Every structure is written in C-alpha cells, then in structure tokens.
C-alpha cells in the first residue's frame, strides 16, 4: 500500500475516531451536503487506532496433546456399554447387576474410579444421591444418584467448573421404565464425552477445580442436576461455569442434512436470578446480550472453534430449544453461568421414542444413529473450553464503568485479584450489534483503564490474563 494512502487512512481514523458510521450510500441530495462526513462513511467500525483486533486464544502444546488423545473408539465403547443396560430409566431397577439405571450407575462409578487411580490423589469419585418423593413424573419414591469425579484445583481450588451429561434414558411414555430405552444419543453421548474427559484429565493438574458428572433424573424433571447445583449453592461454592452436554451424538438431521463440524451452544440472556433493579439497569445499558452465560458462550467459541478441534460453534441466543429443558437450567436457577451443547440438527424420530419400525421408518435412540467421530470432536470443544477456563484466572469482579460525567472516553474500574499467576487485565469490546468481541487492549496490572472510545457506542468487557497466557471470560461493566 502506498505510504500516502496509509497516512491518509490514519488521518481519517483520528478525525472519525468517535463518530458513528454513516450509511455507505447516502442519498445524492444528502451526500452533497454531507461531504465533510463522507470520509467517515468509509472508516472502520469500531474505530481503529484504539486497541488491536482480537486474536482468539489458541490451544497451547499441553492442551493440543490432550485434545489429540480423545478417542472416538473409547467413546463408542462407552456408549455401547451404556446401551447394554437395556434401560437407564430413572425409575428402573437399581438392584439388577446387568439391567437398569443402578447397574449403569455402578459401572460409570467403577470406570471413573479407574481413572482416579491414575491421578495421584487429585481426582476423587463420589456417588451422592437422595430419595426423590412422589411428583408428576415420579409415581413412587426413588433414589437419584449422580456419579461425580472431582479434580481438586492445584492453585485455586475454591473456583469450580462443572461439566455434565445425563445417564438416564426414556422412551415415548416418560413413565415407561421397563421397555428398552437405549438412549445412545440422549444422553449416552454426553455421558461418554464426560467420561472421556475424566480419563484424560485424571493425570492433569488444572489450576481451578473441575467436577465431571454423570447425572440422573434429567428426563423426569432435571432432578440429578438440581440436587448437584443446590448442593454446590448451599455450600456457597464459587461455580464460575457449567457445561451441559445433552444430545451430542449425531450430525445428521431428519431431512438427511449433515453438519458434522458444527455444535450448537444454547446461552441464556438476562439471568432470571438477578434482582429487578439489576435487570432494569442491564436493560437500560443494553446489557441483555452480556449475561454470564453469554460471556461463557463467547469464551467457548473463542477457545474451541478452531483447526485443532476441527469444529465451528453455532451460538444460539436462547436458554434452550422450544419446549425443551436441560441440566444447565438447574445451574442457571442457582445463579451460575451455564450453557448447553447440542448437535445442530436433531432427528426427533430418534429421541424419546419406543424402538419400532413404523411405515418403514426406524424409530428409537439407537447406536446406529450415533457418529462417534462427531462426538469426539464435540469432546474436543468441551475439553478446550474446560481446560482453558480452569487454567485462566477467574472472572473479574466488581467491574464498573464511570457514568458520573458525560465524556467521549470510557473509564473502567474493577477489583484486582491477588492471584499470583496473574499477568494483568485486558479490555475487550465490540459494536453493539456484533455477536463476538472484536477488539482488545492489554492494560497490565491495574484496577482501572480508560479507553478513548465512547461507552455509548460499544459493548465493553474486562478480562483477566494469566502469566500462562490464558484469559478469563469477560465481564461487562455496570454503571458505577
Ligand atoms: C443542503 O444545504 C443547503 C444550503 O445550506 C440547503 O438549502 C439544503 O436544504 C440542504 N439540503 C439537504 C438535503 O439537506
Ligand atoms: C489402582 O492401582 C493399583 C496400583 O496400580 C492397582 O493395584 C489397583 O487395582 C487399581 N485399582 C483400580 C480400581 O483400578
Ligand atoms: C439447599 O438449601 C435449600 C434451602 O435451605 C433447601 O431447600 C434444599 O433442600 C437444599 N438442597 C440441597 C441439595 O442441599
Ligand atoms: C403410518 O401410516 C398410518 C396409515 O397411513 C398412519 O395412520 C400413521 O400415522 C403413520 N405413522 C407415522 C408415525 O407416520
Ligand atoms: C463487589 O460487589 C459485591 C457484590 O455486588 C459487593 O457486595 C461488594 O461490596 C463489592 N466490593 C467492592 C469493593 O466494591
Ligand atoms: C470530546 O472529544 C472532543 C474531541 O476530542 C473534545 O474536544 C471534547 O472536549 C471531548 N469532550 C469531553 C466532555 O471530554
Ligand atoms: C486474597 O487472598 C486472601 C487470602 O487467600 C483471600 O481471602 C481474599 O479473598 C483474596 N482477595 C481477592 C480479592 O481475591
Ligand atoms: Zn437429554
């Protein structure tokens, strides 16, 4: 590029730094009078010259090595074993050694214990449970048990991340607990993914604590995940993120459409647990797209949609699919940031269906409809997300933007963490209509930063940067 054009560009940038983008094609009559503005019509938005374009965090060598050992054959073997229990319905037998949810629970726990055995005491396996009394989908009291593998964080154990799949299954009638309910995709796929991550993570030392859970009772009303989320909340546990994997086994939809390199993430908007006044402020400042769940979704997209996982991530800005629910909801209800991973095109003939052939069509959640290579790639997305969360500093706390005076600049403040692995902080931003962060500015070890862009025109976030290069999910500032 000729130097003259380059410097012309820089001049424009400065002149237009805080102006809104005008339409590229102005009506001729307006354009004639708007000549002094038309230069800005071609200016970058957001204005360039402040910060740099965001470079997504890439997996380091340690993470790449972990991603490389995710094994589709093991995932297949796990799903096959889970299907072999006939039914894993929450109301099914818990005493038969071969059939029913009790046998499945015991097998998952024994596998997890084998992994824990390799962890030099860092991973412990527990099977906490409780008796659920009679309710609409529970005709008689039943024991609900979760299988949890917990890896104690090496330097920040009080900060916790949770990942789950549900190991219970169902057929057409949600109360039918005797018919075969293979649940190969819903949700042996998610359970197998979590177990594969437990196997790989058992010998690793993440900074923060990771809980890998196979939960029960999902199909009856999210009972297992509710119990887990409440237990964590009741002990004031700082859960900074929860990943729910439910129906992550097939990339082929019911019109035969294939999308084997995409995983959806469902991300809730304004948290329902916020106080009315916080929600009112959130809506007033245009913060409805920057809930903790949305920031978690953006984070997953940044660290896990890349050549190493081989996956694209489709962020869906809603709590869940229409008429459906999932275990992330249990965590959202306790005020925790939680998101749901689900395949891109569901085939409803293969979900919650009695196994049968009707009018030449095979119904049922069978092994033959699961693509193990696909589930392995989704596992990579989850491992990249979970590992990056657990090795980054925690979310930045008490982030505010100064709104006490009118001005062109944006001035931020936050509480500095005393995490000794911290390298500093970074301001990120994007135009209000953009889905993902577009720009970043490293500001070092500070608890304030001023950016010469208007808070009125951009969405900002503050994130913490570790000495290891890992960065936390961003936190959107609220007015001071
Ligand atoms: C352009 O400017 C002239 C002179 O100031 C004014 O008469 C005219 O109405 C303006 N046209 C438009 C479209 O604003
Ligand atoms: C755990 O490891 C020890 C020593 O390697 C072995 O003897 C034991 O059988 C293992 N236990 C399980 C549950 O795999
Ligand atoms: C958590 O605490 C609430 C309120 O005290 C209680 O209703 C609930 O049963 C507790 N849940 C668990 C799993 O401890
Ligand atoms: C199968 O065909 C019969 C007769 O046409 C029809 O009544 C029934 O609804 C069909 N079943 C399904 C699942 O489409
Ligand atoms: C940080 O935020 C919490 C929760 O809103 C509040 O209770 C606390 O006082 C704040 N701390 C500071 C130093 O502002
Ligand atoms: C806004 O920016 C302009 C141009 O840089 C400057 O002249 C003006 O003083 C600024 N206003 C405030 C309130 O800072
Ligand atoms: C700093 O460390 C102390 C002791 O570990 C802890 O109690 C405190 O909460 C920490 N402060 C912050 C802001 O993280
Ligand atoms: Zn499910």
């Amino acid at each position: 590029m000729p130097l003259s054009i380059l410097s012309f560009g820089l001049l424009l940038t400065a002149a237009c730094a805080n102006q809104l983008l005008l339409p590229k094609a102005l009506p001729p009559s307006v354009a004639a009078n708007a000549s002094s503005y038309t230069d800005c019509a071609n200016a970058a938005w957001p204005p360039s010259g402040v910060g740099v374009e965001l470079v997504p965090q890439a997996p380091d060598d340690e993470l790449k090595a972990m991603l490389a050992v995710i094994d589709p054959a093991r995932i297949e073997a796990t799903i096959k074993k889970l299907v072999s229990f006939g039914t894993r319905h929450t109301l099914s037998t818990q005493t038969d050694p071969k059939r029913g949810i009790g046998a499945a629970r015991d097998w998952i726990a024994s596998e997890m214990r084998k992994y824990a055995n390799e962890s030099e005491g860092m991973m412990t396996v527990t099977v906490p449970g409780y008796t659920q009394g009679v309710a609409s989908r529970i005709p008689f009291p039943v024991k609900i048990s979760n299988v949890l593998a917990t890896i104690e964080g090496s330097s920040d154990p009080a900060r916790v991340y949770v990942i789950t799949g549900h190991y219970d299954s169902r057929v057409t009638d949600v109360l039918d607990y005797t018919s075969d309910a293979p649940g190969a995709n819903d949700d042996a796929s998610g359970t197998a993914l979590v177990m594969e991550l437990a196997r790989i993570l058992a010998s690793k030392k993440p900074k923060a604590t990771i809980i890998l859970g196979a939960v029960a009772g999902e199909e009856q009303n999210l009972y297992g995940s509710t119990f887990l989320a409440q237990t964590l909340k009741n002990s004031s546990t700082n859960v900074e993120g929860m990943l729910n994997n439910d129906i992550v086994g097939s990339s082929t939809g019911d019109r035969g459409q294939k999308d084997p390199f995409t995983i959806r993430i469902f991300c809730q908007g304004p948290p329902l647990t916020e106080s009315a006044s916080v929600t009112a402020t959130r809506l007033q400042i245009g913060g409805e797209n920057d809930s903790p769940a949305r920031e978690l979704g953006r984070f997953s997209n940044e660290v896990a949609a890349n050549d190493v996982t081989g996956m694209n991530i489709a962020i869906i800005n809603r709590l869940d699919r229409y008429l459906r629910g999932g275990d992330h909801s249990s965590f959202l209800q306790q005020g925790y940031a939680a998101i749901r991973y689900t395949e891109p095109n569901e085939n409803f003939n293969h979900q919650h269906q009695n196994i049968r052939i009707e009018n030449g069509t095979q119904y049922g959640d069978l092994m033959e409809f699961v693509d193990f290579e696909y589930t392995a790639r989704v596992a990579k997305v989850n491992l990249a997300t979970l590992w990056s969360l657990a090795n980054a500093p925690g979310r930045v706390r008490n982030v505010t933007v100064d709104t006490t005076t009118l001005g062109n600049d944006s001035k931020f403040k936050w509480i500095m963490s005393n995490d000794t692995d911290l390298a500093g902080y970074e301001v990120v931003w994007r135009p209000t209509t953009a889905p993902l962060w577009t720009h970043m500015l490293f500001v070092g070890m500070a608890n304030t930063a001023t950016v010469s862009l208007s808070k009125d025109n951009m969405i900002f976030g503050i994130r913490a940067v570790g000495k290891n290069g890992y960065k936390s999910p961003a936190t959107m500032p609220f007015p001071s």
Side-chain angles (χ1 to χ4, degrees):
M1 180 190 293
L3 199 64
S4 58
I5 293 183
L6 183 67
S7 55
F8 183 57
L10 289 175
L11 277 175
L12 279 186
T13 294
C16 301
N18 254 325
Q19 273 175 23
L20 290 171
L21 186 65
L22 292 174
K24 297 248 180 217
L26 294 169
S29 58
V30 177
N33 282 12
S35 59
S36 61
Y37 299 108
T38 46
D39 288 345
C40 293
N42 297 314
W45 185 252
S48 52
V50 185
V52 296
E53 271 181 39
L54 187 136
V55 180
Q57 303 177 60
D60 60 16
D61 288 343
E62 184 182 22
L63 176 53
K64 276 187 193 158
M66 289 163 65
L67 294 171
V69 299
I70 287 179
D71 183 356
R74 260 179 193 276
I75 288 173
E76 176 174 2
T78 301
I79 295 175
K80 192 172 177 189
K81 182 69 184 181
L82 289 168
V83 169
S84 79
F85 296 107
T87 176
R88 303 185 309 278
H89 194 285
T90 296
L91 299 164
S92 64
T93 173
Q94 298 195 15
T95 51
D96 188 309
K98 289 210 169 97
R99 186 178 175 84
I101 193 164
R105 171 201 62 209
D106 293 347
W107 178 76
I108 295 167
S110 75
E111 288 297 293
M112 295 283 222
R113 287 195 180 104
K114 282 185 210 159
Y115 309 150
N117 209 12
E118 309 290 312
S119 76
E120 296 167 357
M122 296 299 280
M123 180 189 272
T124 50
V125 177
T126 55
V127 188
Y130 76 106
T131 300
Q132 173 59 46
V134 173
S136 71
R137 291 180 169 195
I138 303 280
F140 50 83
V142 68
K143 180 98 182 273
I144 308 266
S145 300
N146 298 326
V147 183
L148 307 180
T150 302
I151 305 169
E152 169 101 349
S154 58
S155 67
D156 196 359
R159 177 161 52 98
V160 175
Y161 299 94
V162 179
I163 182 169
T164 68
H166 70 86
Y167 69 98
D168 61 310
S169 65
R170 63 168 285 189
V171 289
T172 307
D173 174 2
V174 70
L175 295 177
D176 175 354
Y177 58 86
T178 53
S179 297
D180 276 356
N185 192 355
D186 184 9
D187 184 32
S189 66
T191 304
L193 180 157
V194 168
M195 290 172 69
E196 180 66 352
L197 264 51
R199 180 181 76 85
I200 293 166
L201 287 167
S203 57
K204 303 294 182 297
K205 298 196 165 39
K207 272 168 59 77
T209 295
I210 295 176
I211 299 176
L212 302 113
V215 297
E218 195 272 351
E219 303 291 4
Q220 308 313 111
N221 192 15
L222 314 180
Y223 286 114
S225 58
T226 299
F227 178 64
L228 175 57
Q230 281 187 3
T231 303
L232 291 165
K233 184 70 180 184
N234 287 5
S235 59
S236 302
T237 304
N238 175 29
V239 178
E240 290 213 355
M242 185 272 186
L243 314 178
N244 171 25
N245 281 270
D246 197 351
I247 312 181
V248 291
S250 170
S251 55
T252 306
D254 53 10
R255 290 189 294 271
Q257 71 274 44
K258 291 188 192 299
D259 202 349
F261 303 107
T262 299
I263 180 73
R264 288 183 293 175
I265 316 182
F266 288 85
C267 306
Q268 184 198 40
L272 299 173
T273 48
E274 276 180 355
S275 70
S277 70
V278 171
T279 301
T281 305
R282 181 184 287 288
L283 299 183
Q284 193 211 343
I285 64 175
E288 53 270 39
N289 199 12
D290 285 77
S291 60
R294 295 265 164 96
E295 303 304 8
L296 187 56
R298 282 187 189 98
F299 178 90
S300 181
N301 184 82
E302 183 183 331
V303 301
N306 55 42
D307 290 348
V308 182
T309 62
M311 290 292 277
N312 304 308
I313 291 177
I315 295 177
I316 310 289
N317 281 341
R318 51 171 56 106
L319 172 58
D320 209 324
R321 298 126 335 129
Y322 279 92
L323 308 177
R324 310 295 290 278
D327 292 317
H328 57 310
S329 289
S330 304
F331 280 75
L332 289 164
Q333 263 166 30
Q334 299 303 326
Y336 295 135
I339 56 180
R340 173 186 185 132
Y341 295 82
T342 296
E343 66 196 28
N345 302 295
E346 293 169 80
N347 185 329
F348 300 103
N349 292 346
H350 303 159
Q351 285 179 26
H352 303 183
Q353 293 281 356
N354 290 341
I355 301 168
R356 66 193 192 280
I357 292 173
E358 194 171 331
N359 301 346
T361 298
Q362 176 73 61
Y363 290 80
D365 193 349
L366 299 166
M367 281 285 285
E368 66 197 74
F369 302 125
V370 178
D371 172 351
F372 311 106
E373 298 279 348
Y374 175 75
T375 305
R377 282 193 296 277
V378 181
K380 289 184 181 183
V381 168
N382 275 270
L383 183 52
T385 303
L386 195 57
W387 185 253
S388 301
L389 285 167
N391 287 289
R395 273 201 313 247
V396 187
R397 303 282 165 168
N398 295 56
V399 181
T400 57
V401 57
D402 183 2
T403 51
T404 55
T405 55
L406 295 176
N408 305 317
D409 290 343
S410 302
K411 187 172 182 191
F412 307 103
K413 204 173 166 194
W414 57 89
I415 294 181
M416 256 172 96
S417 151
N418 50 13
D419 183 342
T420 51
D421 297 331
L422 202 68
Y425 293 88
E426 195 166 71
V427 184
V428 290
W429 61 90
R430 65 180 201 274
T432 60
T433 52
L436 304 171
W437 302 114
T438 60
H439 286 72
M440 60 186 192
L441 177 68
F442 183 71
V443 297
M445 284 296 253
N447 71 338
T448 62
T450 301
V451 175
S452 36
L453 291 170
S454 170
K455 59 187 172 295
D456 299 330
N457 298 343
M458 297 292 148
I459 304 266
F460 287 96
I462 309 292
R463 62 186 186 180
V465 182
K467 287 178 185 159
N468 58 5
Y470 283 77
K471 302 173 182 182
S472 73
T475 304
M476 191 196 67
F478 269 60
S480 48

